Structure formats: structure tokens, C-alpha cells
Amino acid sequence: MQTAKVSDTPVEFVVEYLLKAKEVAENNVNVPAELRDNLQKALDIACGLDGYLEQMSSQESEPLAELYRKSISHDWNKVHEDGKTLFRLPVTCITGQVEGQVLKMLVHMSKAKRVLEIGMFTGYGALSMAEALPENGQLIACELEPYLKDFAQPIFDKSPHGKKISVRTGPAMDTLKELAAVGEQFDMVFIDADKHNYINYYKFLLDHNLLRIDGVICVDNTLFKGRVYLKDSADDFGKALQDFNQFVTNDPRVEQVIIPLRDGLTIIRRVPYTPQANTQLKSTVTYDEVFRGVQGKQVLDRLRLDGKVAYVTGAGQGIGRAFAHALGEAGAKVAIIDMDKAKAEIVAHELTLKGISSMAVSADISKPEDVQKMIDDIVSKWGTIHIACNNAGINKNSASEDTSLEEWDQTFNVNLRGTFMCCQAAGHVMLKQGYGKIINTASMASLIVPHPQKQLSYNTSKAGVVKLTQTLGTEWIDRGVRVNCISPGIVDTPLIHSESLEPLVQRWLSDIPAGRLAQVTDLQAAVVYLASDASDYMTGHNLVIEGGQSLW
């Protein structure tokens, strides 16, 4: 049987009034049984909602909830004295578990790295959001009362995510002014503080650019026990929130939605400027592609590869694996090409675990039949190819006077002939559709003669890849196909850890101004740039990434 409790949210008030109505009905023999049944059904639905949401949202937040329960069992009922005012913290603490999960989800979805919280209270929401931040993420929490910081800080210290949280005590507006003065900006802001100041916090955040474009503001308690929409309500907080909600609704700088979660959660997104949104500034703004972005896309959005189909040869390990992950993370479907089918399948599985569409293909790019089948398999599965990343290569060392024709042919068959065949086969698809990006892997060895190792066939073949790239890049750009190459320096891959190369590593390091070998991750942004629309005016270019080694 349902029992009444102190009402706080619209649903809890509905439950309260339904219980009263049920009591009246049970004490009145003239009330039809059908009405009693309908009252009970309404009561069952209303009573069960919050509990069900709590249950369905509790799994990931259980460690956090348990951390708070343990802390509260020792500290929560302490009486804090501040002048004449006594504060007693409530025993029922984890009423915000669902809200915590929602905030955590919003941080994930917005990919926020910097979060501002106005009104920390127990710190439960702050720690929920901190869980979703990356390791280098930061959350600044504004809290008026020092004793609440004293309560929350030991809990933060026990959590592996607490180090991301910085608490600033005192009036929140003072903190906002300090943040604005040093040019801080946030991806997400959560407001749960003094209701009368909601509108002032909101205006200051937008007027002083504390929230980035496409950033999100979450505001709690925006339904405030239903008093924001009850016509006969005279509640001061309800009126303040009603004015706030209306102001946000009329603000052309944002779009919003109010979610009826507990006492109301408003989610506000700052939208990009358009002349229609602010006609007063239209005459002073040059609203061109520089301002609004090419095709309305801001520069980072132009690096996205959503909907594109890519392949990477030699993707079973090393540089190729890193390229495959980068292209997939940017939104492309990626075919993993390698001679070793098992290695290709492992990398394809890695991409699948990250939510990236992928396929594994076994191919020896020195064989024309394998190259054509590789292209046919990709087109058969995904309909086309937009990005061809020809990365596979081999390296053999020998003094020039001892270099055999067999070594020369093997090296050229993969590094230059194989790259040419891949370019040509993918080029047929791309030229037909009038669009494509080809990225070949060359080498710093195309520019200098690396030493002390002797690798005549490798150096020459990679120089050939650069000239191949330049030639195709100029021939095909007027038909929509750009061809560029990346020349890495010495990269720390499994291939470099062979016994024959170990003695050379220290010598190489002394030749590199950056003082270290390249990591495969140093090359990932370059392949995404060359694969994206952001590089449309670049063709036939050799992008050198070698820590400055070719300059010495």
C-alpha cells in the first residue's frame, strides 16, 4: 500500500493528491467502483515511475552511490554552525542518482572536456560528471557554503575522478567574473543554485562567451513542483523560474528542451550565429564562408569523414593500424587490408568494438589480381571507395654494391609497383564518381639518405612514391581526385625492434631535433586531414612528419 511522503517533484505531488483522492473515495460508499479502480491504476503508475527510473539508472552509478552512503553514515548528520545559522544535512541523500546518470550521459554525448557547475551542494552531481570526463578533463564547481566543500572534498579524494574537480567557494557570480576575465570557456554548464539568480547566471554565461558554440547548459528544478505552469501559483521561486524559462525560450542564441525528470531538467544548446537569429548585428557581420564555415561546417566538422568508405593497406600493425583507427574514429567505414588475414581480422575487431564499421581483406599488393579483388570486395560490400590509404611497404638493408636484383625487385614490387597498382585500381572507382582522396605512405628517406643503415632499394622506391604521388595528383585533381603522401620519419613500430636495428636506435635519436622516435599516433591527424574535405586544395603534396630530422 502506498504511503504519503514529503512532496518535492510534480510526480510526487500527483501521488500525494491521488492518495488523498483515494482516501476520499474509500470513505464514500457512493463513489463508483470503476472510479476507485482508475484511481488505483493512476496511483500505481505515478508511484512506480521514479523507482523504476532509479532502478534502471543505478548500475553504473552504484559505486558512486555506495561511496556517498559510506561517507554519509559517518558525516551527514553533523550540525554545522555558521554564525547564528545551524545547518543540518538531510539523511535522504541519494535522491539525485537518476539526475547524476543523466548528467554523466550528457557529458559523454557532448564530448565535454571542461565543465562548470554552479551550485555543488553534496558534490554527487559533480562526481557523476567527473566520471565521464577524460583524464585531462576539468570540472570547476561553484559553491557558496564552505562547509559543503568540507563535506564533499574527502569524498572526491576517495574517488579516482575527484582530481578532476576544483571547488571554488563564495558567490557564484564572483567566480564567473573571474573565469570570464581570464578567457575561460566551457563545453557544458550545470546550474542548480539560487533560483532567483538562474537568469543572471545564464545571461552572464552567454554574454561573456563562457559557453562555447554547441555547448550545453543543464538547469535543474525548472518545473519546480509544477509551480512554473500552475496559473494560481504565487510562489516566488516558481515565478523566477517561469521568467527564466520564458527568457530562454525567446533567446535566439540557443535552443532548449525541458525534460520532466523529477523536478524538471532543462537542456540548452548554444547554436551558431545566423543573421536571422540576430538582425541587429547583421549589418556589421561579414556573413561569408570564413564566418559561417564551408557549407555551414566549422573547421573541426570539415575533418569528419562520416559516410565515407576507406581502405588501408598494411593495416594489420604499426602505421597502417593507426591510420585505420584514425579514419574510423573520424567517421569512415574502413577496410583492413593485410597479407596476414589473422592480423587484419584482429584490427577489424578492434574497430568494431569502437562502433566503427569495418571488414578484413587479405591481399598481397604486389599481385595485380589481389589488388583488383581487394577493390572489388570493398565496392561489393559498401558500394564505393572514397579514401584509399596505400600504406603497405617493406624495407631491406644492404650495401649498394651488394644489393641483389631479387632484393631490388621485391622492394619495388611492394613499395612502388604495388602502390601504383592500388592507386590505379582505386582511381578507376574514384574518377568515375568524380571524387576521391588517395594517401600514399612514402618516407623521410625520399628526401634524405638516412644513416648509418644502408637501404638503397628502400630509399629509391620511396622517392618513386613521392614522384608517383605528384604526377597523379596533378593529372587527376581536375576530375575530383586528390593524391597526396605522408613521409614519416623513423617510427617506433614492431618492425623497428628487430635485433639488427637495435644498435641503430641511439644513433637515430641523436639525429632527431625532437629527441625521440615518432609514435604512430603522431601521424593520425595527418591522414584524417588528407582524407577530409578540409584538404581539397592540396594535391601532389608530400607531408613530412619526422621531428625535424630531414633538416639536419
Side-chain angles (χ1 to χ4, degrees), residues 114 138 140 168 178-180 182-186 208-210:
R114 291 180 54 77
Q138 183 184 23
I140 295 178
R168 302 194 184 185
E178 292 170 3
L179 294 171
V182 294
E184 293 280 12
Q185 196 169 57
F186 297 89
H208 292 81
N209 265 330
L210 282 168

Side-chain angles (χ1 to χ4, degrees), residues 89-105:
L89 301 176
V91 176
T92 54
C93 70
I94 312 300
T95 58
Q97 191 164 316
V98 176
E99 292 95 321
Q101 280 296 92
V102 170
L103 293 172
K104 180 178 177 181
M105 183 70 71

Side-chain angles (χ1 to χ4, degrees), residues 452-464:
Q453 71 273 25
K454 296 176 172 59
Q455 47 186 37
L456 171 66
S457 58
Y458 179 81
N459 296 349
T460 312
S461 68
K462 289 301 185 179

Side-chain angles (χ1 to χ4, degrees), residues 319-338:
I319 295 173
R321 174 174 172 263
F323 282 173
H325 274 267
L327 295 171
E329 289 173 9
K333 304 172 185 175
V334 187
I336 309 301
I337 316 298
D338 203 276

Side-chain angles (χ1 to χ4, degrees), residues 226-378:
R227 295 174 191 173
V228 296
Y229 54 82
L230 293 176
K231 293 181 180 179
D232 59 349
S233 175
D235 185 276
D236 287 345
F237 285 159
K239 182 64 170 63
L241 288 166
Q242 189 179 63
D243 293 343
F244 170 78
N245 290 341
Q246 191 61 54
F247 184 87
V248 175
T249 298
N250 296 335
D251 191 346
R253 298 173 294 179
V254 302
E255 57 187 17
Q256 71 153 338
V257 61
I258 300 178
I259 300 174
L261 174 66
R262 294 193 60 80
D263 208 18
L265 184 71
T266 295
I267 300 175
I268 303 165
R269 182 179 77 94
R270 185 180 179 189
V271 299
Y273 166 89
T274 62
Q276 295 78 17
N278 195 333
T279 54
Q280 292 178 341
L281 293 179
K282 185 176 180 180
S283 61
T284 64
V285 171
T286 304
Y287 194 64
D288 56 4
E289 285 191 334
V290 173
F291 188 100
R292 68 176 179 270
V294 178
Q295 298 178 338
K297 296 179 181 178
Q298 295 186 11
V299 65
L300 292 181
D301 293 329
R302 291 168 60 199
L303 293 168
R304 292 292 305 173
L305 304 175
D306 302 294
K308 296 294 196 295
V309 173
Y311 76 73
V312 183
T313 64
Q317 62 183 354
I319 295 173
R321 174 174 172 263
F323 282 173
H325 274 267
L327 295 171
E329 289 173 9
K333 304 172 185 175
V334 187
I336 309 301
I337 316 298
D338 203 276
M339 286 183 64
D340 188 328
K341 183 67 177 291
K343 288 184 177 180
E345 288 175 341
I346 289 172
V347 176
H349 180 62
E350 290 175 355
L351 298 193
T352 300
L353 292 176
K354 294 168 72 170
I356 299 166
S357 296
S358 62
M359 62 184 291
V361 179
S362 176
D364 179 349
I365 67 162
S366 69
K367 299 178 179 178
E369 61 274 16
D370 277 22
V371 171
Q372 190 57 54
K373 185 177 184 304
M374 169 188 87
I375 299 297
D376 292 343
D377 287 350
I378 298 168

